[in-house]
Amino acid sequence: DAGITQSPRHKVTETGTPVTLRCHQTENHRYMYWYRQDPGHGLRLIHYSYGVKDTDKGEVSDGYSVSRSKTEDFLLTLESATSSQTSVYFCAIRIAGVEETQYFGPGTRLLVL
Amino acid sequence: TQLLEQSPQFLSIQEGENLTVYCNSSSVFSSLQWYRQEPGEGPVLLVTVVTGGEVKKLKRLTFQFGDARKDSSLHITAAQPGDTGLYLCAGIYGQNFVFGPGTRLSVLP
């Protein structure tokens, strides 16, 4: 599992409140990714990081921001949560190479009321 | 926008049967991956295929990458209940991963 943990694992919040999800890895991997998974859509990339303080947007980045101040932590923030952001959020680390490898965390289930 | 389609969306078969699921796109990818995901867990990588026309075997699972690098298939021989899960394909271009919506497989004993 590449030592990936996500916290919290479950969260219920109200519309308009800020929410921060944390992804933590123990193996010093350079690349980290945040995805959301919704029925019928598979996994969609929100943001990714290719190093400390180096991040870029994915397919569905609107309403989300990220920060990576140290290698092991990648934070995803919903500045003002909306009901459309109710989803399961997965963090992943990527090991780049000829045969790419990606390991996923256990996920955070977020409900925005 | 790169899009991946998967078919069928759902598949329910008896133990011992063979099956094939497909992943298709109009875009070319540098490589393609297959994952299996079980309820309440993150996806687990099964294989990465890199070369057009490549065939990889993993026990009872056979993966093929299309010659044009736009499509892929996963064939399972003699399916077992333990194969039950959501099968996702993902295309890689640059730093990005694009996932298909998945095929949900149920293997009945």
Side-chain angles (χ1 to χ4, degrees), chain B residues 2-98:
Chain B
Q2 317 274 59
L3 291 174
L4 277 170
E5 299 177 342
Q6 291 189 243
S7 60
Q9 188 178 357
F10 299 96
L11 186 58
S12 181
I13 61 171
Q14 293 294 133
E15 182 176 2
E17 292 183 2
N18 301 332
L19 66 114
T20 303
V21 297
Y22 300 92
C23 174
N24 296 288
S25 176
S26 58
S27 302
V28 175
F29 293 101
S30 59
S31 56
L32 195 139
Q33 299 179 322
W34 284 93
Y35 294 79
R36 182 170 70 213
Q37 184 179 21
E38 300 191 21
E41 299 181 6
V44 175
L45 180 65
L46 297 173
V47 77
T48 301
V49 284
V50 179
T51 306
E54 180 178 4
V55 177
K56 277 192 174 178
K57 292 190 175 184
L58 190 69
K59 296 183 180 179
R60 295 176 295 101
L61 278 60
T62 301
F63 305 87
Q64 184 163 8
F65 198 14
D67 291 341
R69 307 162 74 93
K70 295 181 179 181
D71 55 87
S72 181
S73 63
L74 159 58
H75 181 80
I76 302 179
T77 303
Q80 300 176 359
D83 296 325
T84 292
L86 179 67
Y87 287 82
L88 296 161
C89 65
I92 303 171
Y93 64 103
Q95 314 289 356
N96 289 300
F97 292 75
V98 175

Side-chain angles (χ1 to χ4, degrees), chain A residues 9 31 33 35 37 40-45 48 50 57-59 90 94 98-107 109, chain B residues 1 3 9 31 33 35 37 40-45 48 50 54 56 86 88 92 94-102:
Chain A
R9 293 293 314 279
Y31 294 95
Y33 289 71
Y35 294 90
Q37 186 173 32
H41 289 279
L43 286 137
R44 291 180 291 176
L45 180 62
Y48 65 95
Y50 47 96
K57 296 179 179 180
E59 175 190 357
F90 286 100
R94 169 192 169 211
V98 174
E99 289 194 6
E100 296 273 349
T101 304
Q102 215 176 179
Y103 294 101
F104 284 82
R109 189 172 294 273
Chain B
T1 303
L3 291 174
Q9 188 178 357
S31 56
Q33 299 179 322
Y35 294 79
Q37 184 179 21
E41 299 181 6
V44 175
L45 180 65
T48 301
V50 179
E54 180 178 4
K56 277 192 174 178
L86 179 67
L88 296 161
I92 303 171
Q95 314 289 356
N96 289 300
F97 292 75
V98 175
F99 281 80

